Amino acid sequence: MEQSRFSYGNNQNASFNYQKLDSDSPRSINGDFSFAGAADRRFAFSRQSSFHQPSPVPEAQLHTPISISDSAKPFLSRTTSSIDIPPNFYSYDKVESFSDESKGLDGKFSIFSFILFVLRSARSGNKQIRKLFVLISLNVAYSSAELCIGLFSGRVGLVSDAFHLTFGCGLLTFSLFAMATSRRKPDRLYTYGYKRLEVLSAFTNALFLLFLSFSLAVEALHAFIQDEAEHKHYLIVSAVTNLLVNLIGVWFFRNYARINLVYRNAEDMNYHSVCLHVLADSIRSAGLILASWLLALGVKNAEVLCLGLVSVTVFMLVMPLFKATGGVLLEMTPPRIPPSALSKCRRQVTGLENISEVSQARFWELVPGHVIGSISLQVRKGIDDRPILQYVHNLYHDMGVQDLTVQVDYT
């Protein structure tokens, strides 16, 4: 059985160019193939299943780019495809200099290099990166002041709240790092680029907010059992200041304040997670202010009621983001492509003449808005497979699959 593997990009009018290579074609030692006019094109590779036996098919009927050498060493051949990488996928507009500035992360990691990287990102990044940097700076200044006041005054509640804000600043810093790093170009280690780092950052923020919701519920239960609400009145000043700081962050990311936001790219997920982070902290501070006011009016169990309401609200706000980011990281079938459509396409491909079997059909999202698929076909040997491959590519492209890899087995 012979096998070949073809990779297609996002081009509806795709054409297939097959070129047979000689054994003395130029290659670089590090494995990079360099030839003119193909710096931004995808490659299709194929390997013959046996390199020691002559091909049973006449050379004129071979449609796969296989070159047979007399030597015992396996030979890997290559063809070029006229299908370009989808434009504007990596969003490198006006950030060419950023790649040179961030090369320091390729070496040994250190705290100093990380701080320099964050500062350079805030200086050369877009408006959202600069806004997030300002928000982190305000939170760090406030949490440091709160920690100092709590230590000198002996207020355990202030110290606890300061540590909570510090941990939140760490997550926001990770979001800033993801925003900056995702703008880097693909390299040999991360061939798809760094876009998925923003999805991971959004998932981390969502996980933290779910933990915050659970901790608020436990705190409400503890207040109901122990009735310790009286000694927390001094937190009203801290809650008001924290609310003002977080409202600045809500204003910065107000365009992403919707619950069921439609994610068109990875940046939307990360910006939405930052907005939900500061919004959840704002709701928490507002709940504490409301609880203190109700307790001053003599309402019993006001803190239990307010903290429970805040816990439920945060959970409902964060759960859609948690499901969306978890689905992308687990490589779930894209939600915007219904399973019935995938089944219909598979039946149409199976019904083609000269195709005996369709297997290993897998589809997932690299990041929101970029769907990748792979499919394996059993094709009769000796036929012209190019019309079949063109039809399969167009079929799945119309369904919304940007990158499709087709593995053809000849039987």
Side-chain angles (χ1 to χ4, degrees):
M1 181 181 293
E2 299 176 359
Q3 294 183 354
S4 64
R5 195 175 185 87
F6 303 91
S7 178
Y8 306 101
N10 186 8
N11 191 341
Q12 191 170 2
N13 299 321
S15 61
F16 303 92
N17 300 328
Y18 300 88
Q19 299 177 356
K20 190 174 181 179
L21 300 179
D22 298 328
S23 59
D24 57 349
S25 59
R27 294 184 185 88
S28 61
I29 296 178
N30 58 8
D32 292 333
F33 299 95
S34 57
F35 50 94
D40 193 27
R41 297 177 183 272
R42 297 191 184 275
F43 306 135
F45 295 90
S46 64
R47 187 188 296 274
Q48 183 148 342
S49 57
S50 175
F51 295 89
H52 304 284
Q53 299 177 359
S55 174
V57 184
E59 184 178 357
Q61 298 181 9
L62 286 175
H63 301 293
T64 56
I66 299 176
S67 296
I68 303 176
S69 178
D70 295 332
S71 62
K73 185 177 179 180
F75 180 78
L76 184 64
S77 61
R78 155 193 117 263
T79 58
T80 62
S81 171
S82 63
I83 304 171
D84 294 337
I85 295 177
N88 299 328
F89 171 62
Y90 293 106
S91 299
Y92 296 138
D93 299 337
K94 301 180 182 180
V95 293
E96 294 296 334
S97 61
F98 179 80
S99 178
D100 297 332
E101 293 180 355
S102 60
K103 287 181 179 178
L105 289 184
D106 296 333
K108 186 177 179 181
F109 178 80
S110 64
I111 299 297
F112 180 72
S113 63
F114 174 75
I115 295 175
L116 287 179
F117 177 70
V118 171
L119 292 177
R120 289 173 180 173
S121 302
R123 184 184 62 183
S124 61
N126 56 17
K127 292 182 180 180
Q128 301 295 344
I129 293 180
R130 289 195 290 268
K131 289 178 181 179
L132 183 56
F133 181 77
V134 172
L135 179 62
I136 293 173
S137 302
L138 291 175
N139 275 279
V140 168
Y142 170 67
S143 61
S144 301
E146 188 178 34
L147 178 62
C148 294
I149 294 175
L151 291 175
F152 283 107
S153 62
R155 299 288 189 177
V156 180
L158 290 178
V159 175
S160 176
D161 189 65
F163 277 108
H164 165 78
L165 292 177
T166 302
F167 189 73
C169 289
L171 291 176
L172 293 178
T173 304
F174 180 61
S175 297
L176 176 63
F177 174 78
M179 290 180 188
T181 307
S182 64
R183 297 157 62 87
R184 301 180 66 189
K185 295 182 179 180
D187 50 32
R188 296 178 185 176
L189 194 59
Y190 297 96
T191 55
Y192 271 111
Y194 296 81
K195 283 289 183 181
R196 227 182 200 189
L197 188 60
E198 297 211 67
V199 181
L200 179 61
S201 173
F203 177 80
T204 306
N205 269 309
L207 193 63
F208 167 74
L209 294 178
L210 288 179
F211 176 76
L212 175 63
S213 174
F214 176 75
S215 64
L216 288 175
V218 172
E219 187 177 353
L221 181 62
H222 186 266
F224 177 76
I225 296 174
Q226 300 294 332
D227 191 19
E228 295 179 349
E230 292 298 332
H231 77 284
K232 294 183 179 180
H233 283 293
Y234 65 88
L235 289 177
I236 185 65
V237 178
S238 173
V240 171
T241 308
N242 192 17
L243 177 62
L244 294 177
V245 173
N246 286 314
L247 285 179
I248 297 175
V250 174
W251 173 256
F252 283 163
F253 298 92
R254 60 188 180 277
N255 294 331
Y256 301 91
R258 296 184 297 274
I259 299 177
N260 294 317
L261 184 67
V262 178
Y263 305 112
R264 297 180 177 86
N265 46 54
E267 288 89 348
D268 289 342
M269 275 190 170
N270 199 9
Y271 296 158
H272 189 207
S273 69
V274 172
C275 181
L276 290 183
H277 187 117
V278 294
L279 183 61
D281 274 347
S282 300
I283 295 174
R284 173 176 170 269
S285 300
L288 292 176
I289 296 172
L290 180 61
S292 299
W293 180 65
L294 292 177
L295 286 173
L297 295 178
V299 179
K300 295 182 179 180
N301 296 325
E303 186 179 12
V304 177
L305 178 63
C306 292
L307 290 179
L309 183 61
V310 170
S311 175
V312 174
T313 304
V314 171
F315 181 85
M316 294 179 62
L317 286 174
V318 176
M319 202 60 194
L321 176 65
F322 180 77
K323 290 182 179 180
T325 53
V328 173
L329 294 177
L330 292 176
E331 296 185 346
M332 189 180 69
T333 303
R336 61 190 182 93
I337 301 179
S340 59
L342 294 174
S343 300
K344 181 180 179 181
C345 289
R346 180 167 181 168
R347 289 194 301 267
Q348 290 177 352
V349 175
T350 306
L352 293 176
E353 188 179 1
N354 299 321
I355 290 185
S356 58
E357 184 182 359
V358 178
S359 60
Q360 298 180 359
R362 302 184 178 96
F363 301 92
W364 68 95
E365 278 186 316
L366 175 67
V367 292
H370 189 83
V371 180
I372 299 177
S374 65
I375 190 171
S376 179
L377 305 178
Q378 293 281 351
V379 181
R380 286 196 308 177
K381 187 183 299 183
I383 68 167
D384 188 2
D385 53 12
R386 285 174 292 184
I388 296 177
L389 299 176
Q390 181 71 66
Y391 174 79
V392 173
H393 168 258
N394 291 337
L395 184 65
Y396 282 101
H397 173 266
D398 294 339
M399 191 178 58
V401 180
Q402 280 82 7
D403 287 339
L404 178 63
T405 300
V406 180
Q407 179 176 343
V408 180
D409 298 335
Y410 298 97
T411 57

